[in-house]
């Protein structure tokens, strides 16, 4: 049985006090309201990880993630954080290759392959993001484009390593726009990506990989998206900044 995961991506939001308040609220709401098997991950600004860990440690179902890390283990990379640093403070998850990192920081598929390597070497679970732009969807082979992101960043892994990766399909045109892929569009891509993984690694391995959907997931559309057989949860941006909305999305899983 593959894992069901709902991850929140706070991006560059919240002051420390607000971050503590939001984390406390989510921890309490999940404890009181969520009974099923689901893993909740809060991907917060890395500045807050150590502090927020005090609030999530011991809380059932909830763990923390970073939003990025560097591909090198250490060195002269001003402003960056490394996978060994995350490991050392006990952070299990890290988002790799978010479309905002690709767009604003020029991250390439090749560089992301290196980031995937360093996260796995340090025992972290990467949440690997992929997804097409609106232009790619409307004018090109958009499924081929997303498959290629996976090929170039993940297909050097052996099956055991791949099994540690979580994939998040996030169509860029749906991120922060209020536009969501329909349940059919999400399922079409998720099934195609699982098929792509199966061609390379075999269906037993592909069946074990959690593939999350991201792109304007909210309390109103989460249940329909998550009901798809190949959608194993969500990566949630804007709605993860409100405890009520985020908990309702977790409950829809
Ligand atoms: C994201 O940035 O990963 C995301 C899915 O954002 P939003 O939910 O706001 O579209």
């Amino acid at each position: 049985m593959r894992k069901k995961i709902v991850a929140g991506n706070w991006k560059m939001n919240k002051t420390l006090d607000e971050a503590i308040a939001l984390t406390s609220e989510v921890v309490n709401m999940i404890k009181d309201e969520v009974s099923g098997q689901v893993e909740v991950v809060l991907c917060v600004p890395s500045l807050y990880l150590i502090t927020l860990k005090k609030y999530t440690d011991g809380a059932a179902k909830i763990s923390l993630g970073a939003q990025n890390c560097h591909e090198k283990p250490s060195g002269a990379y001003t402003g960056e954080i490394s996978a060994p640093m995350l490991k050392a403070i006990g952070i299990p998850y890290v988002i790799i290759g978010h479309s905002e990192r690709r767009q604003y920081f020029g991250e390439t598929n090749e560089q992301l392959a290196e980031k995937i390597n360093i996260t796995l070497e340090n025992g972290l679970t990467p949440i690997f993001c992929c997804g097409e732009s609106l232009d790619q969807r409307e004018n090109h082979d958009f499924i081929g484009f997303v498959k290629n992101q996976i090929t170039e960043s993940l297909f050097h892994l052996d099956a055991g390593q791949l099994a540690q990766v979580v994939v998040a399909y996030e169509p860029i045109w749906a991120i922060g726009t209020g536009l969501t892929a329909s349940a059919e569009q999400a399922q079409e891509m998720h099934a195609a990506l699982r098929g792509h993984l199966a061609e390379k690694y075999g269906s037993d391995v592909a069946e074990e990989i959690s593939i999350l959907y991201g792109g304007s997931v909210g309390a109103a559309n989460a249940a329909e998206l998550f009901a798809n057989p190949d959608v194993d949860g969500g990566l949630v941006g804007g709605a993860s900044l409100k405890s009520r909305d985020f908990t309702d999305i977790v409950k829809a899983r």
Side-chain angles (χ1 to χ4, degrees), residues 110-123:
E110 295 70 28
Q111 183 183 10
L112 296 174
E114 291 183 47
K115 291 193 182 210
I116 291 288
N117 291 345
I118 195 104
T119 59
L120 295 177
E121 281 163 23
N122 284 280

Side-chain angles (χ1 to χ4, degrees), residues 13 30 46 56 87 99 107 111 118 123 134 148 156 159 166 168 179 193 211 218 232 242 244 248 252:
N13 289 296
I30 300 290
S46 50
T56 56
K87 178 186 181 187
S99 62
E107 293 189 354
Q111 183 183 10
I118 195 104
L134 192 56
N148 185 56
H156 62 288
V166 172
L179 293 173
L193 298 183
I211 307 180
D232 305 308
K242 294 194 181 130
R244 180 72 272 153
D248 285 347

Side-chain angles (χ1 to χ4, degrees), residues 45-245:
S46 50
L47 180 64
Y48 303 150
L49 285 167
I50 291 176
T51 304
L52 295 184
K53 205 164 170 295
K54 294 183 199 123
Y55 296 81
T56 56
D57 273 355
K61 304 184 202 306
I62 303 194
S63 46
L64 291 174
Q67 298 172 10
N68 175 42
C69 72
H70 199 272
E71 62 270 27
K72 294 282 191 286
S74 63
Y77 301 102
T78 302
E80 293 291 319
I81 62 165
S82 73
M85 290 175 189
L86 294 172
K87 178 186 181 187
I89 60 168
I91 299 303
Y93 285 92
V94 55
I95 297 173
I96 295 293
H98 191 279
S99 62
E100 288 152 16
R101 301 284 322 169
R102 294 174 186 260
Q103 182 181 353
Y104 303 131
F105 301 92
E107 293 189 354
T108 62
N109 292 341
E110 295 70 28
Q111 183 183 10
L112 296 174
E114 291 183 47
K115 291 193 182 210
I116 291 288
N117 291 345
I118 195 104
T119 59
L120 295 177
E121 281 163 23
N122 284 280
L124 307 175
T125 300
I127 301 175
F128 174 73
C129 298
C130 53
E132 81 287 0
S133 67
L134 192 56
D135 176 59
Q136 280 147 355
R137 177 163 280 265
E138 289 180 343
N139 302 311
H140 301 280
D141 171 16
F142 64 95
I143 292 184
F145 175 84
V146 182
K147 283 183 181 175
N148 185 56
Q149 289 180 317
I150 287 191
T151 302
E152 292 192 352
S153 296
L154 300 182
F155 274 16
H156 62 288
L157 301 175
D158 64 29
Q161 291 169 318
L162 183 83
Q164 307 308 312
V165 176
V166 172
V167 173
Y169 166 58
E170 298 207 302
I172 297 169
W173 48 273
I175 295 180
T177 58
L179 293 173
T180 315
S182 66
E184 294 73 26
Q185 287 172 321
Q187 171 58 23
E188 177 190 36
M189 181 63 85
H190 284 230
L193 298 183
R194 199 178 304 287
H196 189 49
L197 294 170
E199 272 175 30
K200 167 84 176 166
Y201 294 97
S203 53
D204 287 357
V205 173
E207 281 301 316
E208 291 302 311
I209 306 295
S210 298
I211 307 180
L212 314 183
Y213 169 79
S216 298
V217 176
N221 60 20
E224 198 189 349
L225 286 160
F226 295 168
N228 284 297
D230 285 293
V231 178
D232 305 308
L235 180 54
V236 183
S240 72
L241 298 173
K242 294 194 181 130
S243 54
R244 180 72 272 153
D245 290 358

